[in-house]
Amino acid sequence: MAPSSFLADKSEAEVRAAERVLKGGTWAITAGAVLFSVLTVTPLVESVTPADWQWTAPILPIVVDAAVVIVIQLDSVISRLGGNGGAWPALLRWMTGFMTLLLNVGNSALHHDWVGVAVHSTAPLLLIVTAEASLSYRRAISAALARIESERAAAVERQRQEREAAAKRLRDEQQRERDKQEAAEQKKREHDERIAREAAQREEERLRQEREHQLAMEKERGEREAAERKDAADREEARLRAQREYDLRMESERAERQARVDKEKADREERDRIREADERRRREEREEKERLAAQTPQPARVSPAKASSAQPVNAKLPRPARAVEAVVMANEFSGMTQSDAELALFELYRAARDANDFADWEKDNPLFAPGGEFCGSNLGRRLGRTDAAGRKNVKPKFERWYLESKEQAQEKELVGVS
């Protein structure tokens, strides 16, 4: 494939990238060939140079290689500009190439080393072919860039013509739009005049209907305000009646709670008196037993052999079991379901909580302190359950119910006040 056909379909960026690759590769090959030529030709020149002038041996390969560099550089510039140097640049290019080839293979040829001739001819031949190929590539790249520039100029001209045509079409369209707009404005003015006449007629009709509607609304508003005043009076009377009934019911409930508290207090005092009398009787019996035991004569001394099996002299008599008194009467809520028994006991609990005057009621109030009638253990017993169930379940449930009833009572009072 020829370079021109290869670069025909490439964009400008791709062509310039190819040019950079060509330039870099050409100078890399040139630098390698120049270095290799200096190292190869210098021994050959030293062998044919007097001993005092052998230091001048590297000059010859450097001069020849400099000519090669000049040829390659100038060919690059001329091809970039699209020119042609003529025959002398071609002669210089081929002459420097053959000189480099002969100087590189000369030493091997003199020694009849044909392998060396082949090896040392590689770099010069590669340099010659690279110079010719790079010249062809540069001309193809210049042609491709010129084509791209011409296409770009043609595209710019085409765009300019399209813009002018579009501007002309726009002017024509604007002229047509102005003509249409003037005709539409004339038609709109006529339409607006007709609409204004119709609007004036409608406005007169609307004002007449509005006056009639205003009179009807005034009459309806008066009737509605009278009805609202009557409804407000009825609601106020119903509210006052409900408030009175609520106050009477609350007063009755407070009186009932106070009566229950008084009765429970009297029952509790009676039970306390009975408990104190029982304790006093048991304490007297225990003291009497201890007194009788102290008056009993000492047992006879036993022999040492029987001392191990005998009772100690000062051994105390076993104490009688202490009787535990029930907190309340047996079958306190007999005949009731479990839920009814809970509600009945909660009413007693709530009355006692309402009558509480102690800050720390669970510790200071004897009704709720451990052993009291409404402590957790006794609440469980009174419902026929265990002490643990009374402490963990019954007591927290009653306290939650009590707090909820207090909140409901406060809400009712707020509703009544409002």
Side-chain angles (χ1 to χ4, degrees):
M1 182 183 294
S4 58
S5 62
F6 174 75
L7 297 172
D9 298 330
K10 298 293 182 181
S11 63
E12 183 179 3
E14 293 173 331
V15 171
R16 295 194 181 278
E19 185 179 15
R20 288 193 296 270
V21 171
L22 175 62
K23 183 177 180 180
T26 301
W27 283 111
I29 294 171
T30 302
V34 168
L35 179 62
F36 186 78
S37 177
V38 170
L39 297 177
T40 303
V41 174
T42 300
L44 176 63
V45 178
E46 288 179 349
S47 64
V48 296
T49 303
D52 296 337
W53 295 92
Q54 287 183 354
W55 58 272
T56 62
I59 296 176
L60 180 60
I62 292 175
V63 170
V64 175
D65 293 335
V68 173
V69 172
I70 291 172
V71 170
I72 293 175
Q73 180 63 24
L74 291 178
D75 285 342
S76 174
V77 174
I78 292 173
S79 63
R80 185 69 179 86
L81 296 175
N84 188 357
W88 288 107
L91 177 62
L92 178 61
R93 188 168 60 251
W94 283 97
M95 185 178 68
T96 54
F98 278 114
M99 286 181 180
T100 302
L101 176 62
L102 293 175
L103 289 173
N104 275 273
V105 303
N107 194 13
S108 299
L110 292 175
H111 293 85
H112 302 286
D113 183 7
W114 304 114
V115 176
V117 170
V119 170
H120 288 87
S121 65
T122 302
L125 291 175
L126 181 61
L127 182 61
I128 294 169
V129 176
T130 300
E132 292 297 326
S134 64
L135 180 60
S136 177
Y137 278 122
R138 286 190 183 94
R139 289 172 180 170
I141 288 172
S142 298
L145 292 175
R147 176 186 56 79
I148 292 172
E149 289 294 332
S150 63
E151 290 177 355
R152 182 179 300 167
V156 170
E157 179 64 21
R158 186 168 56 254
Q159 291 176 358
R160 184 186 64 79
Q161 293 176 358
E162 291 176 355
R163 284 196 299 270
E164 291 178 355
K168 185 176 182 302
R169 287 195 301 272
L170 180 60
R171 286 194 299 271
D172 296 340
E173 184 69 23
Q174 289 176 350
Q175 184 62 37
R176 286 194 297 272
E177 289 294 331
R178 282 195 295 269
D179 296 340
K180 290 181 180 178
Q181 187 174 3
E182 290 176 358
E185 288 177 355
Q186 179 65 26
K187 185 177 180 180
K188 184 176 183 300
R189 282 193 298 269
E190 296 174 356
H191 178 71
D192 291 342
E193 292 174 357
R194 186 176 66 254
I195 293 297
R197 288 193 301 270
E198 295 175 356
Q201 295 174 359
R202 286 195 300 271
E203 182 66 17
E204 292 178 0
E205 181 67 19
R206 187 189 65 80
L207 291 175
R208 184 183 61 78
Q209 293 178 358
E210 186 176 350
R211 285 192 298 270
E212 294 176 356
H213 179 70
Q214 187 69 24
L215 293 175
M217 290 297 293
E218 289 291 338
K219 181 180 178 181
E220 184 180 352
R221 184 164 52 251
E223 294 175 354
R224 186 170 58 252
E225 289 178 354
E228 289 177 353
R229 286 194 296 270
K230 184 176 180 301
D231 292 341
D234 294 341
R235 285 196 300 271
E236 181 64 19
E237 182 180 357
R239 187 188 67 78
L240 293 175
R241 184 168 59 253
Q243 181 65 35
R244 287 194 296 271
E245 292 176 356
Y246 178 75
D247 293 340
L248 292 175
R249 187 169 63 255
M250 293 299 297
E251 185 65 26
S252 175
E253 291 179 358
R254 281 195 291 271
E256 291 176 359
R257 286 197 300 271
Q258 186 62 36
R260 285 197 299 272
V261 170
D262 294 340
K263 182 177 180 303
E264 290 174 358
K265 185 177 180 181
D267 294 342
R268 185 170 60 256
E269 291 176 353
E270 180 65 23
R271 286 194 296 272
D272 291 342
R273 285 194 298 272
I274 294 173
R275 189 183 301 110
E276 290 176 357
D278 290 341
E279 290 179 355
R280 195 165 47 249
R281 178 176 54 77
R282 286 193 296 272
R283 186 169 56 252
E284 290 175 356
E285 290 177 356
R286 185 169 58 254
E287 291 175 354
E288 181 65 20
K289 290 179 181 179
E290 291 177 354
R291 185 178 61 79
L292 292 176
Q295 293 177 358
T296 302
Q298 297 293 330
R301 183 179 298 274
V302 295
S303 62
K306 295 180 180 181
S308 60
S309 61
Q311 291 284 345
V313 176
N314 57 351
K316 293 184 180 180
L317 295 176
R319 289 176 122 185
R322 183 177 178 181
V324 179
E325 183 181 2
V327 178
V328 293
M329 296 178 62
N331 300 324
E332 182 180 8
F333 302 107
S334 61
M336 294 186 181
T337 62
Q338 183 176 0
S339 59
D340 292 339
E342 283 188 353
L343 293 176
L345 183 57
F346 170 69
E347 291 297 329
L348 300 177
Y349 180 88
R350 180 170 62 179
R353 284 283 280 116
D354 289 340
N356 173 65
D357 294 331
F358 295 93
D360 192 355
W361 57 273
E362 288 188 303
K363 293 182 179 179
D364 300 336
N365 193 330
L367 292 176
F368 299 97
E373 296 181 12
F374 296 105
C375 70
S377 300
N378 285 333
L379 288 175
R381 295 176 187 173
R382 294 172 74 173
L383 292 174
R385 304 178 188 175
T386 62
D387 294 359
R391 290 192 301 271
K392 294 181 179 179
N393 299 328
V394 180
K395 179 67 178 294
K397 182 192 295 184
F398 279 11
E399 187 61 24
R400 186 176 67 256
W401 286 359
Y402 177 73
L403 295 176
E404 291 176 354
S405 65
K406 293 288 286 183
E407 293 178 357
Q408 293 175 359
Q410 291 176 358
E411 292 177 357
K412 289 181 180 179
E413 291 178 0
L414 292 175
V415 171
V417 172
S418 62

